[in-house]
């Protein structure tokens, strides 16, 4: 078993209670585990990686990790996004997958390489089902598992499933229901967990990932809760993320999303809720206490994508003070966890009016320790003997970084995912000097652009007004 020493000007270790900074420190790993973290090391070494003026820290944990290339670039600036939602007519009679499986898997691989480039070592994926015939499939995620295994990512995987799809009907938002497809999707998700949980030396774990709460029937939620208990796995369900969701659930069930989750048996330590922004009724969405969320595995806070849609958590420190485990997700492309933490830090100041709100240290904890806690893993999110050898090197030597003060505040304020140079997962170097072995970056970029162009064109076929691409997505400025 070979031993590797990584040296840097700042090493973010863990002392059993919290992160600590070792100035001019090192981290040593043998096989897939860390054996030493400190300011010095004089033991045997088969390889020494001198990162120089850099931060070496634990890999980031992204629990809403975008695994496609859609979303914010084209859907965060419309006064109304109705044109990007399926028409009722398309959902009922014309829906079809935009891409064959081969192209969809390319998109997945392209997105997963972006996770590595941004220092994300553990991920739970999210993708838009907009371009699917309904939701994700077993076959698709068997392919994703192979890609993740080959790239060396640590992932919590499962195909998404839903009972209904958001549509525009007679000019208004609605849901088109086909409950039998939700039941089929759950069956495929259960099959996937049984087949792939523990694959690739334990780096892949199964999870149940139903879609948004307003697209899943009560029966399917109940069945999901039973399946999660039987499989002993996590469930992630997006909810409390929009006013339309609050209104629909009150209209259908007369309840807040948390009450719905409790009634179906999901409100508990297996559940992750991305966003969890709205605690109250549609008229008073931010009123109420986050205390009930403390019973969950955690919420997945996605500040970068949230602000792109004109929203923010109210507020980060209040949730943490209530005992809520606040983990992070990027939910955007590129999946830049460093920018994500910085946006969260700044939004916390904005919504509270306090400069000390949402500290850099707390956001760094959220991206590491809290994510590990949500997964029930005390061997992730930290650099300490016995922990998994998942670590990230962030370069501080570039001229754009400027002077370095406190390394964590400097990381958030002066760096981005572009400064991640080397990534190690399970003791395997999956990116060195910004190069991922076996990935032709130039070819990937060209193919991704062609994929994006075709994906964008497909919106016209689903739009309830059948508008052309030029009308749905006008440019910022006219062409000269």
């Amino acid at each position: 078993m070979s031993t590797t020493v990584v040296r840097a000007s700042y090493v973010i270790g863990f002392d059993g209670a919290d992160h600590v900074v070792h100035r001019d420190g090192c981290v040593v790993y043998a096989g897939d585990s860390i054996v030493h973290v400190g300011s010095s090391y004089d033991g045997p070494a088969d390889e020494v990686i001198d990162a120089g003026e850099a931060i070496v820290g634990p890999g980031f944990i992204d629990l809403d990790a975008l695994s496609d290339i859609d979303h914010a670039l084209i859907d965060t600036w419309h006064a109304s996004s109705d044109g990007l939602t399926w028409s009722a007519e398309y959902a009922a009679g014309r829906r079809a997958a935009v891409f064959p499986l081969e192209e969809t898997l390319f998109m997945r691989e392209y997105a997963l390489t972006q996770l590595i480039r941004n220092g994300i070592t553990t991920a739970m994926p999210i993708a838009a089902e907009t371009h699917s015939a309904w939701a994700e499939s077993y076959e698709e995620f068997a392919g994703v598992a192979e890609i993740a295994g080959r790239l060396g990512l640590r992932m919590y995987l499962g195909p998404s499933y839903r009972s209904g799809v958001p549509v525009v009907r007679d000019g208004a938002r609605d849901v088109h229901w086909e409950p039998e497809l939700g039941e089929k999707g759950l069956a495929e998700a259960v099959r996937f967990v049984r087949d792939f949980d523990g694959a690739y030396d334990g780096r892949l774990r199964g999870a149940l990932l139903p879609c948004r709460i307003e697209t899943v029937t009560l029966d399917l939620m109940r069945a999901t809760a039973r399946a999660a208990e039987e499989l002993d796995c996590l469930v992630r369900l997006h909810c409390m993320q929009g006013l339309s969701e609050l209104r629909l659930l009150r209209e259908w069930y007369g309840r807040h999303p948390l009450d719905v989750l409790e009634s179906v048996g999901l409100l508990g330590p297996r559940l992750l809720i991305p966003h969890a922004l709205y605690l109250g009724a549609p008229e008073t969405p931010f009123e109420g206490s986050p205390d009930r969320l403390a019973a969950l595995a955690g919420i997945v806070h996605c500040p970068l994508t949230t602000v792109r849609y004109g929203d923010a958590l109210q507020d980060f420190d209040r949730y943490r003070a209530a005992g809520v485990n606040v983990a992070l997700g990027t939910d955007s492309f590129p999946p830049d966890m460093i920018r994500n933490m910085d946006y969260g830090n700044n939004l916390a100041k904005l919504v509270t009016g306090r400069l000390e709100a949402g500290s850099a240290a707390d956001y760094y904890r959220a991206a590491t320790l809290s994510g590990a806690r949500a997964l029930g893993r005390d061997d992730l999110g930290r650099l300490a003997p016995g922990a998994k050898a998942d670590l990230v090197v962030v370069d501080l030597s570039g001229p754009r970084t400027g002077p370095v003060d406190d390394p964590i505040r400097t990381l958030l304020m002066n760096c981005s995912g572009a400064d991640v140079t080397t990534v190690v997962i399970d003791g395997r170097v999956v990116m060195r000097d910004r190069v991922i072995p076996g990935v032709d970056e130039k070819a990937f970029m060209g193919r991704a652009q062609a994929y994006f162009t075709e994906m964008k064109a497909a919106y016209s076929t689903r739009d309830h007004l059948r508008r052309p691409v030029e009308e749905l997505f006008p440019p910022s400025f006219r062409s000269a």
Side-chain angles (χ1 to χ4, degrees):
M1 183 183 300
S2 63
T3 300
T4 302
V5 179
V6 184
R7 303 186 186 278
S9 53
Y10 301 96
V11 170
I12 313 301
F14 183 75
D15 66 0
D18 202 359
H19 293 307
V20 294
V21 178
H22 297 279
R23 188 71 169 93
D24 296 321
C26 62
V27 56
V28 184
Y29 62 90
D32 65 356
S33 298
I34 294 170
V35 297
H36 174 81
V37 182
S39 298
S40 62
Y41 175 76
D42 56 8
D46 297 290
E47 181 182 12
V48 176
I49 300 173
D50 189 349
E53 188 69 12
I55 296 171
V56 175
F60 299 130
I61 298 174
D62 186 346
L63 299 183
D64 215 32
L66 196 69
S67 58
D68 65 19
I69 52 176
D70 192 3
H71 265 315
L73 190 61
I74 57 176
D75 68 359
T76 57
W77 45 269
H78 295 262
S80 168
S81 59
D82 286 352
L84 310 186
T85 303
W86 288 9
S87 68
E89 177 260 340
Y90 176 84
R94 292 191 299 110
R95 67 174 186 265
V98 176
F99 298 100
L101 181 59
E102 178 187 2
E103 286 300 306
T104 299
L105 290 178
F106 159 73
M107 176 268 291
R108 299 289 196 183
E109 183 166 5
Y110 178 77
L112 265 54
T113 63
Q114 294 292 331
L115 298 177
I116 292 173
R117 293 188 191 284
N118 284 276
I120 292 160
T121 57
T122 299
M124 184 179 281
I126 178 70
E129 294 86 2
T130 314
H131 317 299
S132 305
W134 186 258
E136 296 164 345
S137 68
Y138 176 95
E139 290 74 21
E140 180 180 340
F141 262 72
V144 173
E146 186 278 327
I147 294 165
R150 173 163 40 85
L151 291 174
L153 268 166
R154 191 181 303 284
M155 298 197 78
Y156 283 70
L157 289 174
S160 68
Y161 53 94
R162 58 184 174 182
S163 315
V165 60
V167 296
V168 175
R169 192 189 313 276
D170 299 326
R173 289 294 185 97
D174 200 356
V175 177
H176 171 82
W177 296 102
E178 294 191 30
E180 66 279 4
L181 293 182
E183 295 166 8
K184 177 184 176 184
L186 173 59
E188 290 197 350
V190 168
R191 175 186 167 205
F192 179 89
V193 173
R194 294 191 190 282
D195 289 351
F196 287 94
D197 188 56
Y200 294 97
D201 298 321
R203 288 193 303 276
L204 298 191
R205 298 298 307 274
L208 297 179
L209 309 178
C211 299
R212 302 167 62 122
I213 190 171
E214 70 270 31
T215 64
V216 184
T217 63
L218 296 179
D219 285 343
L220 191 60
M221 284 189 261
R222 292 188 187 98
T224 296
R226 291 193 297 269
E229 183 174 0
E230 180 182 346
L231 296 167
D232 190 21
C233 72
L234 291 167
V235 178
R236 188 192 63 197
L237 178 60
H238 287 66
C239 68
M240 301 164 63
Q241 65 174 323
L243 294 177
S244 61
E245 170 204 319
L246 296 185
R247 293 189 186 100
L248 285 172
L249 266 61
R250 188 168 70 171
E251 177 184 324
W252 297 337
Y253 314 126
R255 295 173 177 174
H256 184 270
L258 286 177
D259 297 316
V260 172
L261 292 172
E262 186 171 36
S263 73
V264 297
L266 279 173
L267 194 68
R270 296 186 189 280
L271 182 64
L272 288 163
I273 297 181
H275 307 303
L277 301 176
Y278 297 123
L279 298 170
E283 301 82 7
T284 54
F286 297 115
E287 289 188 7
S289 170
D291 291 3
R292 294 174 73 190
L293 296 172
L296 308 180
I299 70 162
V300 186
H301 175 35
C302 307
L304 178 53
T305 197
T306 298
V307 74
R308 282 175 166 167
Y309 290 93
D311 223 329
L313 191 70
Q314 308 274 331
D315 65 83
F316 178 75
D317 293 331
R318 179 166 67 112
Y319 278 57
R320 294 183 76 252
V324 181
N325 183 37
V326 184
L328 293 187
T330 54
D331 194 17
S332 58
F333 187 92
D336 191 331
M337 185 62 82
I338 297 174
R339 288 183 68 202
N340 196 44
M341 290 187 285
D342 184 38
Y343 267 81
N345 172 234
N346 288 314
L347 281 169
K349 298 175 184 180
L350 182 64
V351 300
T352 65
R354 296 184 294 109
L355 287 179
E356 73 275 18
S359 72
D362 282 341
Y363 267 95
Y364 191 82
R365 293 182 183 105
T368 54
L369 297 172
S370 296
R373 179 183 170 194
L375 298 173
R377 302 285 297 265
D378 60 7
D379 59 346
L380 301 179
R382 68 209 68 197
L383 299 185
K388 289 293 186 181
D390 292 4
L391 55 96
V392 172
V393 177
V394 182
D395 180 36
L396 298 176
S397 67
R400 62 173 298 279
T401 302
V404 177
D405 181 34
D406 173 84
I408 299 302
R409 286 192 291 271
T410 301
L411 174 74
L412 268 63
M413 294 184 70
N414 293 14
C415 299
S416 73
D419 296 304
V420 173
T421 61
T422 297
V423 178
V424 177
I425 304 176
D426 225 26
R428 172 187 171 190
V429 178
V430 299
M431 183 173 78
R432 187 190 295 268
D433 297 328
R434 298 185 173 89
V435 175
I436 299 175
V439 173
D440 184 336
E441 184 175 334
K442 185 175 181 180
F444 263 44
M445 290 176 65
R447 189 173 176 185
Q449 185 63 54
Y451 182 102
F452 182 80
T453 300
E454 185 176 351
M455 176 203 76
K456 191 175 174 182
Y459 278 96
S460 292
T461 67
R462 301 188 291 266
D463 175 31
H464 65 295
L465 297 177
R466 301 287 188 97
R467 287 165 287 189
V469 171
E470 295 76 13
E471 187 176 342
L472 278 174
F473 307 109
S476 298
F477 299 106
R478 63 180 177 81
S479 299

